[in-house]
Amino acid sequence: MTQNTVEKNPVTLLGLGAMGTALARTWLAAGHPLTVWNRTPARAAPLAAEGAKVADSAAAAVAANALVVVCLLDDASVEDALAGTDLAGRDLVNLTTSTPAQARARAEWARERGARYLDGGIMAVPPMIGVPESGGYVFYSGSRELFERHRETLAVPAGTVYVGDDAGFAALYDMALLSAMYGMFAGAAHAFALIRKEDIDPASLAPLLADWLAAMAPAVHRTADQLRSGDYTRGVVSNLAMQVAGTPAFLSAAEQQGVSPELLSPYFALMRRRLAEGSGEEDLTGVIDLLVR
């Protein structure tokens, strides 16, 4: 056990919220020497009992190991925690949720301080960390050399997906997928609202809704193909004109059920606008062009 521990890459982890604690426990369980720091010291106590070294300051934690992983609340928290620390020669992996612009600025900030930088976007919730079959993974972007150097260590908590040397890409992929998720949640919320006042068990709708959403999901491949080709009529199943013609029924149904149409109306408005500007024979893909400023 001792020999195995010595062979594992030491890690410093800043931030022990729910996600940070899950990451910490996974690295400890895998035998990685771990130094942790958290603004609220009490959160580190359980990890100390499990073998983690607890630093009394962020600076001390950073000084302990070459690989420094940051998992804090937001970009401002990263700035605050690392202010005044000596980052020279450190490999800084930032798993804090941020925007692409913040990630790019943070990469330059790290470079100016002599650190190598890798940004990450976690596509998992804490219970998925350390559970390979859960499907959780982390997007990484920035230094390819840095990613390859620590790939094995970074893969311990969750799968790794490298998306490019642009430090902002991990955050961009993260935001893109989560934006689609919230759109799906919005649609599901409207669906459940429609039956809310009826004598219908929501549990009876749930499996039908899940199967329907799963059946619709592959349509994203057609959208990507149309965007790449520039031909929005390619492979169309139900054209824009037909779908716009059907939207009043959805709005009427919502009104009759006493449901606000506010989750549907903006998208329907974009569909009508695209129809007025484009071709009724194309797919819904043209709406994307209306969103891009």
Side-chain angles (χ1 to χ4, degrees):
M1 179 67 179
T2 302
Q3 181 179 2
N4 186 48
T5 300
V6 170
E7 292 175 353
K8 296 296 180 71
N9 195 23
V11 181
T12 282
L13 175 63
L14 307 182
L16 297 175
M19 182 60 74
T21 297
L23 294 169
R25 288 206 161 105
T26 305
W27 274 314
L28 284 171
H32 287 267
L34 183 68
T35 299
V36 299
W37 172 84
N38 192 71
R39 188 173 303 280
T40 305
R43 288 189 176 179
L47 294 172
E50 296 173 33
K53 295 179 181 178
V54 180
D56 58 8
S57 68
V62 169
N65 299 303
L67 176 58
V68 178
V69 179
V70 183
C71 188
L72 295 169
L73 178 63
D74 52 23
D75 185 66
S77 301
V78 176
E79 177 82 26
D80 186 52
L82 294 177
T85 63
D86 183 4
L87 294 175
R90 292 296 179 265
D91 294 340
L92 185 62
V93 179
N94 186 11
L95 300 184
T96 303
T97 300
S98 61
T99 68
Q102 286 174 331
R104 289 166 181 143
R106 188 61 58 195
E108 179 62 20
W109 176 91
R111 187 193 66 77
E112 291 171 352
R113 287 158 178 76
R116 293 168 290 272
Y117 186 86
L118 199 61
D119 203 77
I122 304 176
M123 303 307 298
V125 291
M128 298 169 70
I129 298 299
V131 184
E133 59 271 22
S134 72
Y137 61 91
V138 180
F139 287 123
Y140 289 99
S141 63
S143 169
R144 178 84 195 209
E145 185 275 332
L146 183 58
F147 173 73
E148 294 297 343
R149 180 188 307 170
H150 296 295
R151 182 201 289 261
E152 186 175 342
T153 300
L154 296 175
V156 170
T160 61
V161 179
Y162 181 77
V163 291
D165 59 7
D166 185 321
F169 276 9
L172 186 57
Y173 273 78
D174 180 34
M175 291 296 172
L177 267 60
L178 292 176
S179 294
M181 177 194 76
Y182 282 117
M184 179 192 72
F185 286 166
H190 187 85
F192 280 115
L194 286 174
I195 70 164
R196 190 65 171 153
K197 294 181 179 179
E198 302 288 350
D199 186 19
I200 297 176
D201 184 352
S204 70
L205 178 66
L208 299 173
L209 184 56
D211 289 347
W212 180 250
L213 292 174
M216 294 298 102
V220 300
H221 298 293
R222 185 174 68 248
T223 300
D225 179 63
Q226 291 169 351
L227 287 170
R228 291 184 69 182
S229 70
D231 181 1
Y232 297 172
T233 66
R234 189 167 170 172
V236 172
V237 176
S238 179
N239 68 37
L240 179 62
M242 181 183 300
Q243 295 207 47
V244 168
T247 58
F250 289 91
L251 298 175
S252 294
E255 182 179 5
Q256 292 162 14
Q257 293 299 113
V259 173
S260 169
E262 61 193 292
L263 292 175
L264 296 182
S265 293
Y267 189 61
F268 287 171
L270 285 168
M271 288 168 59
R272 292 192 298 271
R273 180 177 153 199
R274 180 62 187 180
L275 180 61
E277 297 179 3
S279 167
E281 296 305 311
E282 66 183 34
D283 216 325
L284 296 174
T285 305
V287 166
I288 297 168
D289 291 341
L290 297 181
L291 294 174
V292 178
R293 297 177 180 177

